[in-house]
Amino acid sequence: MDRRIPRDLVNADLAIRRYADLGERWLDGMWQADPLADAVVGDDFGSTSATAAVRMALADGIESVPNAPESLRALFDFLDDEPSWVDHARLDNAADALVRHTPILGMVLGAASLLRGAGNFIAGKPLALTGRYVGQPAVRSVEVGEWLRHVLTRGGMRRDGGGFAFTVRVRLIHAHVRKGIVASGMWDEEAWGVPIPQSYMALTMAEFGHIAVEAMQTLGVRFTDRELDDIYHLWRYVGHVIGMREELALRTERDHIAVEELYRLTSPGPSDEDRQFVTALTEQYLVPELANLLPGGAPIRTTVARTLMHSLQRVFIGDADADALRIPDNPLKHVLGRVGPLLALGNRIQERRYPDRERTTLRAYKVRDVAMDRMRVDYRVEHDLVDAART
């Protein structure tokens, strides 16, 4: 049958030939947003706001919201009906596994995951239109880190957990962005599909899932098979709460990889705004954070950190995509691409020196929280998510 395809997407026919039904669902997903959250932000909340009503319902239940409209009730009917497949012990195990490697996780989310997303100007367009794409990369990174702090916490994704509430707030932020962009008249739906579609939500989950895991493994992190399964289980549930439909639900590593491949296959490539974002993210956040870990004087640390970061970025996303984003090349990438086994050996030695896994894990949570608090001060971030930022 004839399929409506965003005009600027490429290789649509190849996506279907190569991925069959999944390719069709990927293309259809470009026209699908989040009807439940979109209905809430489009509703009339009288003297309050959709954001305030959602936060009230998260804290005290839907009945605490005076005259709650049907749109809000429908959203919370969905949120309160936890899927039978969710296993909170597995979610907690995933959080523990990732938090034990917080410094590396933080690095790869910026140097691998965000850069992979930046390779597609359609996906980046909504954020670019908000004006926060290039101008506030460090603040955005701290906001993501604050959300992640609550998600990657034992019990964080339970109905009364902080990670659950933060994820619902992110879902509503996405709906507000969609509403604002459409109202601005600056969005070309025929060329780009809907803003923040299901397909790109799926890629975002893969950014936190397989893309991050693969980059961490490059840097010597070794997860057990159980930990890996639980990590993918975590991101499946986060995707559910954030508004992903089952058509593109990511359950396994294979699902994540397929979505990554479809994203790259159909991407029209990056724009100058994407390249500016990568430069700003690197110079204003990634390089300073890496420099903090290095010895020596500030100028030397910054120079070394910049060279290391550019090399790592090329290792993580490959030369072709790095060239498209105009990331400087450096022969150091050949060395860094081969250090994984050595680093893995160092990690195993460290684990044998400190065999008390529970003690190590609890210490990792404390170190993570100290690091987040330090970044909030360094980058002068007083809010947690953008919906609480001063305007």
Side-chain angles (χ1 to χ4, degrees), residues 173-337:
I173 291 167
H174 289 168
H176 277 294
V177 169
R178 276 191 293 267
K179 179 182 177 181
I181 288 175
V182 171
S184 74
M186 300 174 67
W187 187 260
D188 187 345
E189 183 170 303
E190 290 303 311
W192 307 326
V194 300
I196 316 179
Q198 287 286 317
S199 301
Y200 293 164
M201 288 187 209
L203 188 277
T204 299
M205 292 302 101
E207 288 177 345
F208 288 98
H210 176 260
I211 293 173
V213 165
E214 183 179 54
M216 293 174 77
Q217 291 171 332
T218 299
L219 295 181
V221 175
R222 296 294 181 263
F223 295 109
T224 66
D225 289 344
R226 178 191 170 191
E227 287 171 340
L228 285 173
D229 286 345
D230 291 347
I231 287 169
Y232 292 118
H233 186 72
L234 168 68
W235 294 116
R236 181 187 178 190
Y237 186 48
V238 173
H240 171 85
V241 175
I242 214 166
M244 277 191 61
R245 297 165 56 156
E246 280 299 311
E247 286 87 340
L248 285 172
L250 308 184
R251 304 183 183 188
T252 66
E253 178 181 78
R254 180 177 296 180
D255 296 333
H256 281 236
I257 292 172
V259 160
E260 294 165 34
E261 291 173 347
L262 279 162
Y263 182 78
R264 295 181 68 194
L265 179 65
T266 58
S267 167
S271 66
D272 285 340
E273 287 174 320
D274 297 306
R275 298 182 186 100
Q276 291 164 11
F277 162 69
V278 169
T279 298
L281 175 70
T282 302
E283 293 298 321
Q284 297 177 32
Y285 181 70
L286 296 177
V287 168
E289 287 301 307
L290 182 55
N292 283 337
L293 304 176
L294 301 177
I300 294 177
R301 286 189 290 116
T302 298
T303 298
V304 172
R306 182 177 293 112
T307 300
L308 281 171
M309 185 52 63
H310 288 155
S311 300
L312 283 170
Q313 289 169 334
R314 283 190 166 265
V315 169
F316 292 147
I317 70 171
D319 282 329
D321 289 341
D323 286 344
L325 290 169
R326 297 177 188 164
I327 297 170
D329 204 350
N330 190 293
L332 184 61
K333 67 186 180 186
H334 300 298
V335 177
L336 295 179

Side-chain angles (χ1 to χ4, degrees), residues 133-183:
Y133 197 38
V134 175
Q136 298 178 301
V139 173
R140 284 186 52 227
S141 296
V142 173
E143 291 168 351
V144 171
E146 195 63 50
W147 166 71
L148 201 60
R149 174 178 8 193
H150 288 80
V151 169
L152 299 184
T153 296
R154 292 175 182 177
M157 287 305 295
R158 289 189 178 276
R159 174 59 183 81
D160 60 351
F164 187 98
F166 268 62
T167 302
V168 175
R169 288 171 61 190
V170 170
R171 181 173 183 173
L172 208 68
I173 291 167
H174 289 168
H176 277 294
V177 169
R178 276 191 293 267
K179 179 182 177 181
I181 288 175
V182 171

Side-chain angles (χ1 to χ4, degrees), residues 18-194:
R18 187 173 293 177
Y19 294 93
D21 180 60
L22 178 61
E24 294 179 351
R25 284 182 276 131
W26 174 265
L27 296 173
D28 292 343
M30 292 296 297
W31 303 106
Q32 298 164 359
D34 181 358
L36 289 176
D38 292 340
V40 171
V41 302
D43 219 330
D44 181 7
F45 284 82
S47 60
T48 186
S49 67
T51 297
V54 166
R55 296 182 76 161
M56 186 182 301
L58 283 167
D60 301 313
I62 188 67
E63 298 307 325
S64 67
V65 182
N67 302 314
E70 184 56 36
S71 62
L72 189 66
R73 293 186 178 277
L75 175 62
F76 275 83
D77 282 346
F78 171 87
L79 294 171
D80 292 337
D81 184 18
E82 183 178 277
S84 60
W85 50 261
V86 176
D87 184 333
H88 285 282
R90 294 181 64 189
L91 303 185
D92 291 349
N93 187 51
D96 288 353
L98 290 168
V99 168
R100 282 194 290 269
H101 303 284
T102 288
I104 294 178
L105 174 62
M107 181 183 299
V108 303
L109 287 176
S113 300
L114 284 178
L115 263 64
R116 180 64 72 203
N120 181 336
F121 84 80
I122 300 176
K125 182 65 68 173
L127 196 57
L129 291 175
T130 68
R132 302 183 80 236
Y133 197 38
V134 175
Q136 298 178 301
V139 173
R140 284 186 52 227
S141 296
V142 173
E143 291 168 351
V144 171
E146 195 63 50
W147 166 71
L148 201 60
R149 174 178 8 193
H150 288 80
V151 169
L152 299 184
T153 296
R154 292 175 182 177
M157 287 305 295
R158 289 189 178 276
R159 174 59 183 81
D160 60 351
F164 187 98
F166 268 62
T167 302
V168 175
R169 288 171 61 190
V170 170
R171 181 173 183 173
L172 208 68
I173 291 167
H174 289 168
H176 277 294
V177 169
R178 276 191 293 267
K179 179 182 177 181
I181 288 175
V182 171
S184 74
M186 300 174 67
W187 187 260
D188 187 345
E189 183 170 303
E190 290 303 311
W192 307 326
V194 300

